[in-house]
């Protein structure tokens, strides 16, 4: 049995189910969110508690969502030897997000990651985040299901 389909389901149903399995919506990871005025150490605690490499930042006054990553902490806190309790998330988070919709083809998401030198893309719908697609999500999909053009 393939993807919950019953014997006798037609080939189009199988293709549709496989496309759904390979959609952004099917592989995106959940996220946690913090306010930009929170201290970096409090956001780091949330990230550690949930096993995350990044955390979304609530919209600023201009309505822009943000993201704070472990790399931001390394580059803007650890290397310059700053105290995370004395800096806000807004001071180190990026407000320029690369986003996609839940129906963006996965090869396009992978290209966006490579072209922009990023490890994650925020999945948005109607201006609200739904999840995050990460390199790890794509890696897991390829390891579990393979990749490349299907031959029927």
């Amino acid at each position: 049995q393939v993807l919950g389909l019953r014997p006798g389901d037609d080939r189009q149903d199988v293709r549709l189910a496989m496309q759904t399995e390979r959609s952004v919506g099917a592989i995106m990871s959940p996220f946690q969110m913090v306010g930009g005025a929170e201290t970096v150490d409090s956001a780091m605690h949330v990230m550690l508690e949930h096993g995350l490499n990044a955390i979304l930042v609530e919209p600023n006054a201009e309505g822009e969502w943000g993201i704070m990553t472990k790399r931001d902490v390394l580059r803007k806190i650890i290397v310059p030897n700053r105290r995370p309790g004395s800096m806000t998330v807004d001071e180190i988070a990026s407000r320029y997000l690369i986003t996609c919709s839940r129906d963006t083809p996965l090869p396009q998401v992978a290209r966006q990651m490579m072209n922009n030198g990023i490890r994650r893309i925020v999945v948005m719908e109607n201006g609200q985040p739904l999840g995050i697609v990460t390199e790890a999500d794509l890696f897991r999909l390829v390891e579990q299901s393979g990749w490349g053009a299907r031959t029927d």
Side-chain angles (χ1 to χ4, degrees), residues 104-119:
T104 303
L106 292 176
Q108 183 179 333
V109 168
R111 274 191 303 279
Q112 281 183 291
M113 287 181 183
M114 292 300 299
N115 292 343
N116 291 287
I118 57 176
R119 294 182 173 97

Side-chain angles (χ1 to χ4, degrees), residues 6 13 24 26 51 59 62 70 76 104-106 111 123 132 146-147:
R6 297 174 306 280
D13 290 340
V24 167
E62 290 79 36
K70 285 183 175 178
K76 298 172 185 174
T104 303
L106 292 176
R111 274 191 303 279
V123 183
I132 298 177
W147 193 257

Side-chain angles (χ1 to χ4, degrees), residues 37-49:
E38 289 191 42
T39 60
V40 172
D41 63 346
S42 113
M44 289 171 64
H45 177 74
V46 173
M47 290 169 68
L48 190 58
E49 184 179 318

Side-chain angles (χ1 to χ4, degrees), residues 1 10 20-21 30-31 37 39 51 58 66 73 78 84-85 89 98 101-103 137-138 140-141 147:
Q1 194 172 0
D10 74 20
T20 301
E21 177 192 75
F31 63 92
T39 60
E58 293 172 351
V73 172
I78 298 171
V89 170
I98 305 292
S101 66
R102 75 167 84 200
D103 59 349
D137 296 325
L138 289 170
R140 191 176 312 106
L141 173 70
W147 193 257

Side-chain angles (χ1 to χ4, degrees), residues 10-31:
D10 74 20
R11 217 166 172 70
Q12 180 135 357
D13 290 340
V14 172
R15 279 197 194 104
L16 180 61
M18 295 189 115
Q19 287 172 349
T20 301
E21 177 192 75
R22 289 180 174 257
S23 72
V24 167
I27 70 163
M28 67 185 175
S29 297
F31 63 92

